[in-house]
Amino acid sequence: MKSIVKRKRGSLKLKLVAVATATVAVFAIMLQPFATSEAAPGVSDPIKSMYKRTAPQFDLNNVRNLPPVRQATGAQLAVFENLKASLDAPNMTARWNDNAGSPDVMYDFATAPSEGTPEAAGRAFIEQNASLFGVSDLNNFRVFSQKDALGGHLIRFQQTFNGVPVSGGGIGLVLNDRKQVIMASGPFFRDVAVNTQPSLSAAQARDAAGADLQQFALSIPAAATQY
């Protein structure tokens, strides 16, 4: 009887040792990648490397099959290079919109601080760089939206032509808390020339719409009008 009890106790001890050994092995496997990365200072961190990759270029004009009818002119490129030099911003980058004829986005720069309102600072920046954006008339844009965000200011100017909004056209600016312009986005459509005179008056348009709706007219009993 005693020998049977001893054998059972021995078997239980072997099982406990096996379980403990397996547990240690599992933890060793789980911790191995962390220990290896710490012990190898020359190996780059994959997470940090992921954030160093730039976003791929995506041209919405190509998706919409829009032709490059307004490519950047030599004068615009020269103004951009002069702006980089004047702001001492060698890393300043611009991506051009070849359909609109102005930058889609400009970043990695900062203008001088401004004491005025964000709108005044934004208008001054556009006025000083009108030839860069292709702005020929400073009255051809108006404030579309403005809000405080990111510790600074976001303002969007809507492009207009003869008082009519240009679809998708405008200039957006990001300003920091010192009202320095640190990013600009477009596009502003250069050299817009369309006829904005309506071919119909408001009364004529109303009458035409009423005539088209006559086919859907229904006769409603007078007693039902109260409901």
Side-chain angles (χ1 to χ4, degrees):
M1 184 64 128
K2 292 182 179 179
S3 61
I4 294 174
V5 172
K6 288 182 179 180
R7 285 199 299 272
K8 288 185 176 179
R9 288 179 177 175
S11 176
L12 180 60
K13 288 182 180 180
L14 289 175
K15 290 180 179 179
L16 290 175
V17 171
V19 171
T21 303
T23 303
V24 171
V26 169
F27 274 103
I29 294 173
M30 292 175 63
L31 295 175
Q32 184 176 2
F34 299 97
T36 302
S37 62
E38 292 177 358
V43 178
S44 60
D45 188 343
I47 301 300
K48 291 182 179 180
S49 300
M50 177 179 67
Y51 287 104
K52 290 182 179 180
R53 292 181 298 180
T54 58
Q57 294 288 346
F58 181 81
D59 193 338
L60 189 60
N61 293 333
N62 291 336
V63 176
R64 295 176 175 175
N65 295 320
L66 298 177
V69 293
R70 298 185 184 92
Q71 294 180 314
T73 65
Q76 284 179 299
L77 296 175
V79 171
F80 175 72
E81 292 300 325
N82 291 335
L83 182 61
K84 284 176 61 175
S86 65
L87 297 177
D88 192 21
N91 295 325
M92 183 177 178
T93 303
R95 187 178 68 206
W96 293 85
N97 188 313
D98 291 338
N99 181 262
S102 66
D104 250 340
V105 64
M106 297 194 307
Y107 53 91
D108 281 345
F109 70 96
T111 62
S114 174
E115 297 295 333
T117 64
E119 179 181 349
R123 286 187 178 276
F125 174 75
I126 296 174
E127 181 177 358
Q128 293 164 6
N129 301 281
S131 57
L132 172 63
F133 291 103
V135 177
S136 57
D137 187 349
L138 296 175
N139 295 318
N140 276 348
F141 59 90
R142 63 191 181 194
V143 175
F144 175 75
S145 65
Q146 180 178 345
K147 63 179 65 177
D148 296 338
L150 306 176
H153 314 277
L154 305 177
I155 184 167
R156 176 74 180 177
F157 293 95
Q158 167 73 56
Q159 181 181 3
T160 62
F161 182 73
N162 291 342
V164 180
V166 177
S167 178
I171 300 175
L173 301 175
V174 179
L175 297 86
N176 61 17
D177 58 341
R178 301 177 65 192
K179 301 185 187 70
Q180 295 174 278
V181 179
I182 58 175
M183 180 179 286
S185 64
F188 187 94
F189 288 88
R190 186 187 73 208
D191 302 329
V192 173
V194 294
N195 182 10
T196 57
Q197 294 298 321
S199 57
L200 292 176
S201 66
Q204 289 173 324
R206 183 174 59 250
D207 292 342
D212 288 339
L213 290 174
Q214 280 299 320
Q215 58 181 314
F216 304 106
L218 296 176
S219 178
I220 300 176
T225 57
Q226 60 179 321
Y227 301 107

